Amino acid sequence: FNSGRVDVTYNAIAVSEGFQALQAGELNPEIAGDLPQVPDEVAQDSTASGTLTRSYQAVDDWLNDQIAQWSAIHRDRNLLKDGLSGLFRGQSRNYRPGHLAEGEDPLMANTDLMDVDGFMSLSVRFNPATYYQNHARVPGAYDGDYEDFQLGGHQAEALERLLGFTESQDIPVVFVNTPLTDEYFDAYRSAAETDFLEFMVRFSARYEGFIFRDLGQQWIQEYDYFSDPSHLNRYGALRVSNRVAQDPLIPWPVSTQGADSTGEGNQ
């Protein structure tokens, strides 16, 4: 939601052939008139066209590079290659827990690195004592994601349109602010985070069906849940999933499966 920096992904979508066809009514005539107009500065941005293609190519190059590096050192290199290959073939296996020995960690028992949804469950644990030996410590004031930090702009407008639509259709929207570490939260990022939280709370007050859940500072020193200062690993992902699944403020649907004679089902 930082509109102070150039959002290359937004710009690339706004000038894409698909969005232009949508605006022209070629894909869905009923909504063509309700679509936002592409801002002049975006429409005139000659670099926006093709940005997504270049981004996908960059991801592909990165994956190739990672596989090349891991193939020499990673003990699960064959599993990694098989998982990636299966994903791209559309045949990736879903994780199904088997029989576990007493006391065995179900996370450690899973050897499939990629599940059917494309989630790679990395086991790398963030260790501040060693991490910065190989990675630069970038202060928030010099982080490109926080460049000219200001909320609002195109992203906020898009969220507002989304929430207006979902509210009209009685569709609840849950926004989960995922955890970060205290190694990431320097003074600059903390100030931006405070502004962001206030920004999201205002949205939740305006739209009844919008639920904002903040886990940003839930486990700021539990580094075993992170693969680096700002990204969860498989253990953190599991912890967040369990926390969200048990959140009483989220209107999870009630299943009728297994209902008894009173009509009460299992949630």
Side-chain angles (χ1 to χ4, degrees):
F1 293 101
N2 178 17
S3 63
R5 66 183 176 94
V6 176
D7 187 339
V8 293
T9 304
Y10 176 92
N11 291 355
I13 292 173
V15 300
S16 68
E17 293 182 9
F19 190 72
Q20 290 174 2
L22 196 62
Q23 284 184 310
E26 298 173 11
L27 302 181
N28 190 336
E30 294 182 2
I31 67 170
D34 297 328
L35 293 173
Q37 294 301 308
V38 177
D40 290 340
E41 67 272 17
V42 175
Q44 297 168 7
D45 182 5
S46 60
T47 64
S49 179
T51 296
L52 291 181
T53 300
R54 292 192 297 272
S55 297
Y56 291 137
Q57 183 62 52
V59 170
D60 185 61
D61 292 343
W62 178 85
L63 284 171
N64 288 334
D65 180 63
Q66 294 301 305
I67 292 175
Q69 293 182 40
W70 285 22
S71 65
I73 61 174
H74 201 278
R75 64 182 178 84
D76 289 331
R77 56 187 180 275
N78 291 328
L79 289 172
L80 175 66
K81 290 181 179 179
D82 291 344
L84 289 173
S85 298
L87 174 67
F88 296 136
R89 290 195 308 267
Q91 297 173 350
S92 184
R93 295 170 294 171
N94 195 4
Y95 165 54
R96 294 181 178 85
H99 298 288
L100 302 180
E102 184 175 355
E104 184 177 4
D105 185 349
L107 286 173
M108 298 304 294
N110 177 22
T111 56
D112 284 350
L113 296 181
M114 185 84 73
D115 68 13
V116 71
D117 296 317
F119 177 72
M120 183 181 291
S121 53
L122 293 178
S123 301
V124 177
R125 299 178 191 261
F126 170 55
N127 183 349
T130 59
Y131 180 83
Y132 297 108
Q133 295 175 7
N134 300 308
H135 300 83
R137 186 189 292 268
V138 180
Y142 299 97
D143 186 340
D145 288 342
Y146 290 81
E147 183 178 356
D148 297 328
F149 186 80
Q150 54 180 303
L151 296 166
H154 306 318
Q155 297 93 334
E157 293 168 6
L159 177 62
E160 196 158 7
R161 289 192 298 271
L162 170 67
L163 295 180
F165 172 77
T166 54
E167 187 171 69
S168 70
Q169 303 296 317
D170 291 327
I171 301 171
V173 176
V174 180
F175 190 113
V176 179
N177 189 31
T178 52
L180 298 161
T181 69
D182 58 356
E183 290 287 322
Y184 184 79
F185 276 125
D186 58 12
Y188 191 91
R189 292 192 182 99
S190 293
E193 182 77 358
T194 298
D195 291 343
F196 169 70
L197 295 178
E198 293 175 353
F199 174 78
M200 298 306 288
V201 167
R202 287 197 296 271
F203 266 101
S204 63
R206 288 173 55 193
Y207 295 94
E208 184 177 351
F210 179 59
I211 300 169
F212 176 68
R213 307 303 290 140
D214 177 29
L215 302 181
Q217 301 191 44
Q218 190 67 42
W219 301 298
I220 59 173
Q221 290 187 324
E222 297 189 42
Y223 303 132
D224 282 352
Y225 292 153
F226 298 85
S227 60
D228 63 30
S230 58
H231 292 92
L232 296 166
N233 59 20
R234 65 188 303 185
Y235 309 103
L238 177 64
R239 186 76 184 271
V240 169
S241 297
N242 287 337
R243 179 66 175 266
V244 171
Q246 298 170 12
D247 193 322
L249 297 183
I250 296 177
W252 295 109
V254 177
S255 172
T256 58
Q257 191 174 21
D260 57 24
S261 58
T262 64
E264 294 178 351
N266 298 321
Q267 185 166 346

